[in-house]
Amino acid sequence: MPAPELSPADVPQLDLLVVASHPDDAEISVGGTILAHLAAGKRVGVVDLTDGEPTPHGDPATRAQETAAATELLGLTWRHNLGLKNRHLTDDHAARAALAGVFRLTRPQVVLGHAPTDTHPDHVRAARLTADARFWAKLSKTDQPGQPNAESGGLPGEPFFPPKLYHFWSVHLREIPTPAFCVDITGHLERKLAAVKCYHSQVVVGRDQSFPTVIDDLETRARYWGWATHTTHAEPLGSAESVGVKSLFDLG
């Protein structure tokens, strides 16, 4: 079922917005990055494209409760579910307009989305949808016939192009990617893993809890990327565009 239309008065402007196919993708992939930026005083939000159901041991009500618990634990500034259909996610005009509307209302300086390569079809399509909606968010004259959402007055808010789009990798594709950079999440891993554990129906029920569990794997990955970047724990991010710095001393 499509999500209710967003009211501009109810949507805060954000510094960082994570676009995730399903509830739990943001926590699993960039939970530490979210926490590190919240701790630095940034306004951080998550838009989940679908409710993630059906799954073997979940249902919409359970998943919503788990999402609420994880959201509270992280201390997110804002979270919204776009109401697109799980397992049928497509980069069609309606989905693109809906996500572009979120970009225009939240006006994030940085967007994090799925990597364009993955074994999960929803993740691959979410990557394309995020990139296309980023472009659509800057379109003008969307209230004219034949334009995005013209029949309902066009896209909400004012045209806006999120300046930075980086992508994160999912646990579905078991590869060691080559990131553009890694985010130091030292001091935030324990809380990230606690947020992931909120999704009991996804990471505990029906899964073998002998070593290595999903949580063990996430901890190992965070330690690997920390080791690779001379810190304790880190999360990798990719970029389709070159990443610039103002000084060589900004590099970790």
Side-chain angles (χ1 to χ4, degrees):
M1 178 181 297
E5 187 173 336
L6 288 173
S7 168
D10 298 330
V11 180
Q13 291 194 7
L14 301 171
D15 299 302
L16 172 64
L17 177 63
V18 181
V19 181
S21 292
H22 318 103
D24 77 7
D25 283 333
E27 288 85 352
I28 288 171
S29 301
V30 287
T33 298
I34 289 171
L35 288 165
H37 285 81
L38 285 167
K42 300 299 184 182
R43 297 160 296 177
V44 183
V46 173
V47 56
D48 299 305
L49 299 177
T50 77
D51 67 2
E53 295 299 327
T55 57
H57 305 286
D59 57 71
T62 298
R63 197 67 168 268
Q65 292 171 354
E66 293 172 342
T67 304
T71 299
E72 182 176 2
L73 194 153
L74 291 173
L76 288 170
T77 308
W78 181 78
R79 191 168 199 158
H80 178 68
N81 194 298
L82 212 56
L84 303 179
K85 191 173 182 181
N86 185 42
R87 301 185 183 178
H88 296 266
L89 191 61
T90 57
D91 179 22
D92 60 24
H93 288 186
R96 199 180 300 169
L99 184 54
V102 171
F103 290 159
R104 287 166 69 122
L105 293 175
T106 58
R107 308 183 83 75
Q109 292 302 299
V110 179
V111 172
L112 303 183
H114 286 274
T117 55
D118 200 348
T119 57
H120 197 313
D122 278 356
H123 292 182
V124 174
R125 295 188 180 105
R128 184 70 262 166
L129 172 58
T130 302
D132 290 347
R134 179 195 185 202
F135 187 89
W136 267 34
K138 72 175 183 177
L139 297 180
S140 60
K141 301 180 180 179
T142 61
D143 58 344
Q144 297 186 0
Q147 297 304 309
N149 279 25
E151 68 282 354
S152 59
L155 297 177
E158 296 298 321
F160 176 74
F161 185 72
K164 302 295 182 183
L165 171 60
Y166 304 125
H167 59 252
F168 52 80
W169 285 272
S170 171
V171 294
H172 288 277
L173 187 61
R174 293 174 179 261
E175 66 167 350
I176 300 177
T178 301
F181 58 91
C182 293
V183 178
D184 185 350
I185 64 165
T186 301
H188 300 290
L189 181 61
E190 184 175 348
R191 195 168 173 187
K192 165 189 170 157
L193 297 179
V196 174
K197 290 176 186 177
C198 288
Y199 295 94
H200 193 77
S201 68
Q202 306 302 307
V203 300
V204 177
V205 180
R207 290 183 180 271
D208 185 353
Q209 293 304 303
S210 60
F211 183 86
T213 65
V214 172
I215 300 300
D216 293 325
D217 287 346
L218 292 176
E219 187 171 11
T220 299
R221 286 167 180 252
R223 180 67 199 105
Y224 169 78
W225 289 113
W227 169 82
T229 53
H230 306 280
T231 188
T232 305
H233 297 115
E235 291 173 337
L237 291 174
S239 178
E241 302 168 320
S242 296
V243 177
V245 296
K246 294 185 181 301
S247 166
L248 294 177
F249 295 94
D250 290 339
L251 295 168

